[in-house]
């Protein structure tokens, strides 16, 4: 019985992640962009201390999804937070990470000047 209980606990954690991703997707589909941003940040903060790569991936994917939905403010905020977190965690810039930032930059709509500029300033600061 004990073994079953532990397996159930692990499954429960994974289910929580799946449910959260579904909530985020639903929020974006429902055009509740601020809610999506808050859910992503909350998930990021929970993961940050235990699984930094997964936490960074959460921010990256969230920024990407919101920018693809044309939400430069919310997506830009998450993208900028991602770069600031790279800096604060002393993550070394790599080709892969810089390519990811270039991909995010390309997703900003051209009229989204302020969030795009803020993102670029942080990216330049981090890679300098």
């Amino acid at each position: 019985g004990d073994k079953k209980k532990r397996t159930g606990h692990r499954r429960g954690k994974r289910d929580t992640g799946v449910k959260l991703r579904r909530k985020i997707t639903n929020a974006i589909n429902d055009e509740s962009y601020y809610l999506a941003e808050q859910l992503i940040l909350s998930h990021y903060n929970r993961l940050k201390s235990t699984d930094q790569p997964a936490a960074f991936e959460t921010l990256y994917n969230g920024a990407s999804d919101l920018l693809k939905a044309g939400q430069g403010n919310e997506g830009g905020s998450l993208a900028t937070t991602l770069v600031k977190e790279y800096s604060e965690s002393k993550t070394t810039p790599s080709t892969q990470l810089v390519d990811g930032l270039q991909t995010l930059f390309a997703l900003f709509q051209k009229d989204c000047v302020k969030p795009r500029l803020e993102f670029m300033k942080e990216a330049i600061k981090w890679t300098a």
Side-chain angles (χ1 to χ4, degrees):
D2 189 51
K3 193 174 186 181
K4 200 174 207 175
K5 210 178 252 180
R6 272 184 282 153
T7 304
H9 178 70
R10 257 188 241 120
R11 187 182 307 126
K13 253 186 165 173
R14 191 171 61 241
D15 287 350
T16 303
V18 170
K19 282 180 188 165
L20 185 63
R21 280 191 294 281
R22 194 174 307 129
K23 258 186 176 176
I24 292 166
T25 301
N26 289 342
I28 292 171
N29 291 341
D30 294 343
E31 298 181 7
S32 300
Y33 303 116
Y34 179 75
L35 174 62
E37 179 189 10
Q38 294 310 304
L39 288 168
I40 292 160
L41 283 171
S42 171
H43 187 53
Y44 169 75
N45 285 318
R46 273 193 305 255
L47 284 173
K48 191 159 101 166
S49 61
T50 56
D51 189 351
Q52 198 174 53
F56 287 155
E57 190 178 331
T58 296
L59 281 179
Y60 179 88
N61 291 337
S64 176
D65 291 347
L66 285 164
L67 288 169
K68 284 176 185 170
Q71 300 309 301
N73 288 330
E74 291 85 352
S77 172
L78 291 175
T80 301
T81 299
L82 175 64
V83 182
K84 285 180 177 175
E85 292 292 327
Y86 282 163
S87 292
E88 287 174 23
S89 65
K90 309 262 190 277
T91 299
T92 305
S94 67
T95 303
Q96 184 183 359
L97 294 177
V98 171
D99 286 350
L101 296 184
Q102 288 175 326
T103 300
L104 288 178
F105 183 74
L107 292 174
F108 277 91
Q109 294 183 342
K110 300 300 173 228
D111 62 351
C112 194
V113 178
K114 195 174 178 201
R116 196 167 55 144
L117 187 61
E118 185 64 28
F119 171 69
M120 278 313 296
K121 282 197 294 196
E122 288 301 323
I124 291 166
K125 218 187 299 181
W126 173 60
T127 56

